[in-house]
Amino acid sequence: MRNDGTPTDDGGEDNIFAKELTPAPDRWVRRGTWIGIVLLVLVGVFLWLQGGENRALNAMSPSQRQALFRETRDEFEELCLPDGGGTRFPRKCGQLADFLKRFSECDAACQGEIEPFSARPTR
């Protein structure tokens, strides 16, 4: 800069007026990295919450687990089986069937009973 306050016209590195002021490209890299980390954490939390029911069943004592299985199966048999599958409670029967699938106590006979009510993938 000259003494009168006007910039010199040499175009060198010392001339700050010759440089364009653009945001640094690493700013977008950092922003993208943080967005990626947040998305990964959200997916991880979602997956962890989805497995909560299985973790709760596995944490139960064998006697508690057996009692819950028996109670759920009795409810399923009472609501869903008397009319041969044409139940008035299709959503409830589907939920009970999906829950019974999670038990290791559900043997071949149990699997056969709940199979018509199990949720099937749809398009």
Side-chain angles (χ1 to χ4, degrees):
M1 252 205 213
R2 290 190 272 166
N3 288 340
D4 61 354
T6 58
T8 57
D9 200 22
D10 60 359
E13 289 295 319
D14 297 337
N15 188 355
I16 63 169
F17 298 105
K19 297 178 184 176
E20 288 187 29
L21 299 176
T22 59
D26 62 338
R27 174 178 154 197
W28 292 106
V29 171
R30 283 190 309 237
R31 190 174 285 175
T33 302
W34 279 110
I35 290 172
I37 289 171
V38 168
L39 287 175
L40 282 175
V41 167
L42 288 175
V43 167
V45 167
F46 176 76
L47 292 175
W48 184 76
L49 289 174
Q50 294 301 312
E53 205 168 68
N54 289 335
R55 283 192 304 277
L57 285 176
N58 293 334
M60 296 175 93
S61 71
S63 60
Q64 288 176 322
R65 185 178 166 96
Q66 182 64 32
L68 180 60
F69 173 74
R70 187 73 248 159
E71 182 180 315
T72 306
R73 187 161 181 194
D74 289 344
E75 182 181 1
F76 176 80
E77 289 171 350
E78 184 179 319
L79 284 177
C80 306
L81 295 182
D83 54 3
T87 180
R88 295 182 345 196
F89 310 104
R91 179 177 282 165
K92 179 68 174 173
C93 290
Q95 290 171 345
L96 289 171
D98 289 340
F99 187 60
L100 284 169
K101 268 194 232 179
R102 297 174 190 264
F103 287 89
S104 59
E105 292 90 342
C106 191
D107 57 3
C110 171
Q111 292 290 334
E113 288 177 351
I114 67 172
E115 197 274 322
F117 300 96
S118 296
R120 290 183 178 82
T122 59
R123 287 186 184 197

